[in-house]
């Protein structure tokens, strides 16, 4: 399957061309597709992977459990608040043609057995524009979800506000957003799914307010439409501008999900957010699991000699050293990566998301350095930018809202010292994390797995406990920098490392950390299983310990932990 061409414009009308009652034509590659096949393919062109716009009833059928959907508020009908000429006639014609009562269908359903509230906008109804009925049905559905403590999933597809309803249409933006604010304040989950196209007043209200925002590939997502922008600036927009991939890169979308996988991802996310008491809801099937090193690693550890300080500096910097991604994929099940700071950009130096620790949902955040030159460039060598810290903070606040513990993995030589990073407030971003993490109303555990470089490391390390791998380092700056500042001679870095006290054992003595994690010689691929086992077992002990405390106690202990220095 190829990818469809951005430049070949596929309008809504063309997308729905029916050549015969049994088939449709792909607007991009012109392939004729039988309707039965289109249905089986979930309305994705088998030839060029073009995503057809999906009718509300088809979307609901594709997402929720069979026969579980119950429509709500279907009886609310369109009025003509501005007495706009011919509006009633247009609505009647559209109703007749689409067999829809308005642009949005809302109701309740189950998704893999979990009850949800769902709303789907259908682009066939006046381009999914948001008039009073669309706003009202969504608002009522969200209010009912708040009352019944249910998660909400909204599928967005809209040209924006409905012109024929003027200012009344504009007010729907404020109204729907207000209802979602109440839903959010009640600690409930809202997922928005952006489909082609999501623009105008819908983007500038409920579409962008999801706790988690998913998008279908290559959907047009933006506030001002491309035509309006092109006319205003008098320039042609670059390829891919305002598409899902562009929004992901700019930090506004958590993940792009293929249509085929959407039901699965939504069901997992809903399940991860089922409210449970405490932080140690481990699946009983893991009760008797031993978290032990392999025999081979025990032998290797017995043979290996402890490293000197400078050797540790080098070990912490090794390219083949295990990184956050390795541990995350080994320790946690069903990890879903969530992207973006929702302000500016997604920082590839920091990854974050939600996964299960033997059945307990946790928010996991980690710095990745990369392992090949190309990979390192992509991750900016593990030097986070302000948007990385802001993404981390967004995910931590999300964890707080849903009472999920936070686990962070730190491995950075420091925050990125660059022009853009300064322009975007590197100092502010680090400070904000220290400030917010101090009061975060959920347990935080930090594991230093390599370099712990200064403020850039600390910005992810205000934990209730901080652990360090045996050969990891943690310092105010690099030994090279230290030697250069103090002795005006960066070549004396080995000597600097000795006096700076930067090893895990130093940290334990200085009470900067609670635990030292064995590396069984070296944190390499061979040791991954053994180190992960150690971490996993201890993480569970940590959460059981946290479970015994009130949230005020947890926050106060974190305060005291840092207050003592
Ligand atoms: Zn096609």
């Amino acid at each position: 399957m190829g990818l469809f061409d951005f430049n070949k414009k596929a309008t809504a009308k063309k997308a729905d061309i029916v050549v015969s009652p049994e088939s449709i034509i792909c607007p991009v590659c012109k392939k004729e597709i039988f309707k039965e096949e289109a249905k089986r393919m979930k309305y994705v062109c088998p030839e060029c992977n073009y995503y057809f716009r999906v009718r509300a009833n088809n979307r609901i059928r594709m997402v929720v459990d069979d026969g579980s959907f119950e429509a709500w508020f279907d009886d609310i009908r369109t009025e003509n608040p501005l007495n706009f000429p011919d509006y009633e006639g247009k609505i009647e014609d559209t109703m007749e043609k689409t067999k829809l009562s308005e642009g949005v269908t809302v109701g309740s359903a189950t998704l893999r057995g979990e009850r949800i509230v769902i709303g789907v906008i259908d682009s066939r109804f006046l381009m999914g524009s948001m008039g009073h009925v669309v706003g009202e049905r969504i608002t009522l559905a969200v209010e009912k979800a708040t009352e019944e403590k249910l998660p909400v999933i909204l599928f967005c597809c809209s040209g924006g506000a409905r012109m024929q309803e003027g200012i009344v249409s504009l007010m729907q933006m404020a109204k729907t957003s207000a209802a979602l604010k109440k839903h959010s304040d009640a600690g409930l989950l809202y997922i928005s799914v952006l489909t082609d196209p999501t623009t105008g007043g819908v983007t500038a209200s409920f579409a962008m307010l999801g706790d988690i925002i998913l998008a279908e590939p290559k959907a047009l997502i933006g506030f001002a439409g491309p035509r309006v922008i092109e006319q205003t600036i008098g320039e042609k927009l670059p390829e891919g501008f305002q598409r899902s991939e562009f929004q992901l890169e700019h930090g506004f979308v958590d993940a792009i999900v293929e249509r085929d996988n959407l039901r699965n991802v939504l069901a997992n996310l809903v399940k991860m957010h089922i409210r449970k008491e405490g932080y140690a809801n481990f699946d009983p099937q893991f009760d008797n699991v031993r978290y032990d090193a392999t025999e081979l690693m025990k032998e290797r550890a017995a043979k290996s000699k402890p490293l000197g300080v400078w050797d540790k500096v080098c070990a912490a910097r090794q390219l083949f050293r295990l990184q956050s991604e390795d541990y995350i994929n080994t320790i946690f099940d069903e990890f879903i990566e969530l992207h973006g700071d929702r302000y500016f950009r997604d920082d590839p130096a920091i990854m974050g998301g939600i996964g299960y620790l033997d059945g307990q949902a946790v928010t996991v955040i980690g710095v990745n350095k990369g392992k090949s030159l190309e990979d390192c460039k992509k991750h900016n060598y593990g030097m986070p930018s302000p948007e990385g810290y802001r993404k981390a903070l967004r995910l931590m606040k999300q964890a707080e809202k849903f009472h999920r513990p936070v686990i962070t993995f730190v491995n950075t030589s420091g925050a990125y010292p660059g022009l853009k990073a300064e322009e975007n407030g590197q100092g502010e971003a680090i400070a904000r994390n220290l400030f917010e993490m101090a009061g975060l109303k959920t347990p935080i555990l930090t594991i230093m797995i390599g370099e712990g470089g200064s403020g850039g490391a600390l910005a992810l390390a205000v934990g209730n406990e901080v652990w360090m791998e045996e050969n990891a380092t943690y310092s105010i700056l690099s030994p090279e920098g230290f030697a250069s500042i103090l002795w005006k001679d960066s070549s004396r870095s080995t000597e600097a490392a000795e006096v700076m006290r930067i090893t895990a054992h130093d940290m334990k003595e200085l009470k900067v950390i609670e635990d030292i994690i064995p590396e069984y010689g070296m944190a390499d691929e061979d040791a991954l299983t053994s180190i992960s086992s150690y971490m996993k077992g201890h993480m569970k002990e940590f959460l059981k310990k946290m479970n015994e405390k009130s949230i005020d106690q947890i926050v106060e202990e974190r305060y005291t932990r840092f207050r003592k220095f």
Side-chain angles (χ1 to χ4, degrees):
M1 266 193 272
L3 296 172
F4 71 84
D5 186 349
F6 284 123
N7 294 329
K8 288 190 188 168
K9 290 242 166 67
T11 64
K13 275 183 191 140
K14 278 186 207 156
D16 243 7
I17 288 175
V18 177
V19 280
S20 75
E22 293 84 36
S23 64
I24 50 174
I25 294 269
C26 171
V28 175
C29 73
K30 312 294 177 212
K31 184 186 161 70
E32 184 179 350
I33 308 158
F34 286 105
K35 278 189 171 171
E36 270 314 302
E37 191 188 8
K39 186 177 169 186
R40 195 172 44 78
M41 292 295 297
K42 297 192 169 141
Y43 310 98
V44 177
C45 173
E47 193 70 24
C48 73
N49 216 20
Y50 170 75
Y51 275 47
F52 286 88
R53 288 175 190 166
V54 180
R55 297 175 177 197
N57 58 331
N58 288 336
R59 180 68 80 176
I60 291 167
R61 176 175 50 74
M62 277 154 47
V63 169
V64 305
D65 299 341
D66 281 348
S68 70
F69 181 71
E70 178 200 329
W72 286 351
F73 315 116
D74 202 34
D75 53 339
I76 301 169
R77 294 301 152 97
T78 325
E79 284 166 25
N80 189 355
L82 307 186
N83 290 320
F84 197 84
D86 304 327
Y87 184 41
E88 281 108 342
K90 199 171 170 66
I91 292 290
E92 259 170 53
D93 288 352
T94 311
M95 284 171 73
E96 175 63 31
K97 225 168 67 196
T98 60
K99 308 284 178 246
L100 290 165
S101 62
E102 246 288 355
V104 72
T105 305
V106 299
S108 75
T110 60
L111 178 51
R112 288 223 185 105
E114 294 304 326
R115 204 154 165 251
I116 58 162
V117 169
I118 185 168
V120 181
I121 302 180
D122 195 315
S123 66
R124 291 174 304 153
F125 205 98
L126 304 187
M127 218 18 255
S129 58
M130 177 161 60
H132 170 260
V133 177
V134 169
E136 185 67 14
R137 284 186 187 170
I138 288 176
T139 303
L140 283 167
V142 171
E143 284 172 349
K144 199 161 165 178
T146 310
E147 230 173 79
E148 299 187 18
K149 299 188 168 42
L150 294 174
V152 173
I153 299 174
L154 294 180
F155 281 85
C156 308
C157 176
S158 176
R162 188 170 297 173
M163 292 305 127
Q164 294 89 337
E165 295 189 22
I167 194 75
V168 175
S169 176
L170 187 75
M171 292 306 127
Q172 305 310 312
M173 293 167 65
K175 187 172 89 182
T176 50
S177 302
L180 284 167
K181 173 76 173 125
K182 283 197 171 180
H183 184 259
S184 180
D185 286 349
L188 299 166
L189 172 70
Y190 164 42
I191 304 173
S192 55
V193 185
L194 315 184
T195 72
D196 185 60
T198 300
T199 59
V202 165
T203 300
S205 60
F206 59 87
M208 282 294 165
L209 296 173
D211 294 295
I212 293 167
I213 302 179
L214 305 177
E216 287 198 324
K218 297 190 173 63
L220 176 75
I221 302 161
F223 179 58
R227 229 178 333 135
V228 175
I229 304 175
E230 283 181 347
Q231 279 166 7
T232 310
I233 65 171
E235 273 172 51
K236 189 113 191 63
L237 291 171
E239 201 175 296
F241 187 74
Q242 291 182 312
R243 297 282 161 179
S244 306
E245 296 69 16
F246 169 96
Q247 299 295 353
L248 185 82
E249 196 183 314
H250 286 83
F252 296 107
V253 161
D254 281 290
I256 296 174
V257 183
E258 301 268 342
R259 191 172 285 169
D260 201 32
N261 197 23
L262 207 43
R263 173 179 152 87
N264 191 31
V265 170
L266 286 169
N268 276 351
L269 285 171
V270 167
K271 190 172 140 225
M272 278 171 166
H273 286 82
I274 295 170
R275 181 73 193 267
K276 290 178 181 163
E277 286 307 310
Y279 314 106
N281 299 287
F282 304 116
D283 199 320
Q285 64 167 305
F286 300 109
D287 266 359
N288 299 316
V289 175
R290 279 174 54 109
Y291 297 93
D292 213 354
T294 63
E295 289 308 315
L296 199 71
M297 279 303 121
K298 281 183 197 162
E299 273 171 42
R300 195 176 88 166
K303 274 188 233 155
S304 66
K305 280 195 283 253
L307 301 179
V309 178
W310 184 251
D311 295 331
K312 287 190 179 195
V313 172
C314 298
R317 292 175 180 175
Q318 277 289 4
L319 204 60
F320 58 73
R321 195 175 175 81
L322 294 171
Q323 51 180 348
S324 302
E325 199 174 1
D326 300 310
Y327 293 121
I328 290 173
N329 292 332
T330 312
I331 296 171
F332 305 97
D333 303 313
E334 290 170 61
F335 178 74
I336 296 180
E337 185 171 3
L338 304 175
H339 294 268
D341 63 351
R342 300 272 166 92
Y343 294 115
F344 170 63
R345 194 178 77 106
D346 181 54
D347 185 355
I350 292 183
M351 83 186 287
I354 314 169
Y356 286 110
L357 180 70
D358 281 355
Q360 165 68 49
V362 290
T363 288
V364 192
I365 295 161
V367 184
N368 282 321
K369 281 188 177 177
K371 288 188 177 180
S372 62
L373 185 62
E374 204 186 334
D375 204 23
C376 286
K377 275 187 190 156
K378 182 182 137 202
H379 295 295
N380 198 29
Y381 302 86
M383 289 183 285
S385 297
E387 53 269 29
Y389 294 116
R390 287 173 186 141
K391 166 166 72 177
L393 181 58
R394 178 175 80 82
L395 297 178
M396 287 191 260
K397 296 299 262 183
Q398 190 185 77
E400 180 182 52
K401 174 178 169 183
F402 296 108
H403 308 275
R404 269 197 301 270
V406 174
I407 298 177
T408 64
F409 292 92
V410 179
N411 180 15
T412 178
S413 60
Y416 182 52
L419 235 62
K420 272 267 169 295
E422 288 301 313
E423 280 170 10
N424 293 318
Q426 188 71 284
E428 194 279 340
I430 294 172
R432 186 66 50 197
N433 278 22
L434 306 181
F435 182 80
E436 294 291 349
M437 285 179 88
L440 204 77
K441 288 188 162 49
T442 197
I444 304 174
L445 170 65
T446 297
I447 307 181
M448 318 282 297
I449 58 170
E451 286 183 279
S454 197
L458 184 61
L460 298 171
V462 185
N464 289 81
E465 287 193 16
V466 179
W467 306 342
M468 241 170 117
E469 282 185 13
E470 189 182 343
N471 297 325
T473 58
Y474 197 2
S475 60
I476 176 88
L477 83 172
S478 68
E480 290 86 346
F482 184 91
S484 145
I485 289 176
L486 215 61
W487 305 321
K488 312 267 176 285
D489 183 359
S490 64
S491 68
R492 289 169 69 187
S493 51
T494 322
E495 204 181 324
E498 296 283 346
V499 297
M500 283 172 75
R501 304 204 56 194
I502 58 177
T503 69
H505 287 98
D506 295 322
M507 293 309 127
K508 187 98 193 276
E509 242 175 70
L510 295 165
K511 296 199 164 52
V512 172
I513 64 163
E514 277 77 13
D515 195 9
I516 298 175
I517 299 167
E519 288 186 19
Y520 311 97
M522 178 65 74
D524 57 13
E525 282 294 331
D526 293 330
L528 178 59
T529 318
S530 295
I531 301 177
S532 297
S533 275
Y534 183 96
M535 286 180 179
K536 195 167 179 173
H538 284 71
M539 282 172 183
K540 289 177 73 176
E541 291 308 314
F542 168 79
L543 292 183
K544 282 182 196 160
K545 212 159 61 186
M546 291 296 125
N547 227 14
E548 307 291 304
K549 303 169 198 251
S550 71
I551 187 59
D552 290 342
Q553 219 177 335
I554 290 169
V555 174
E556 191 53 33
E557 282 179 9
R558 198 183 307 133
Y559 181 81
T560 314
R561 191 185 179 281
F562 289 90
R563 176 67 182 82
K564 70 176 185 269
F565 295 107

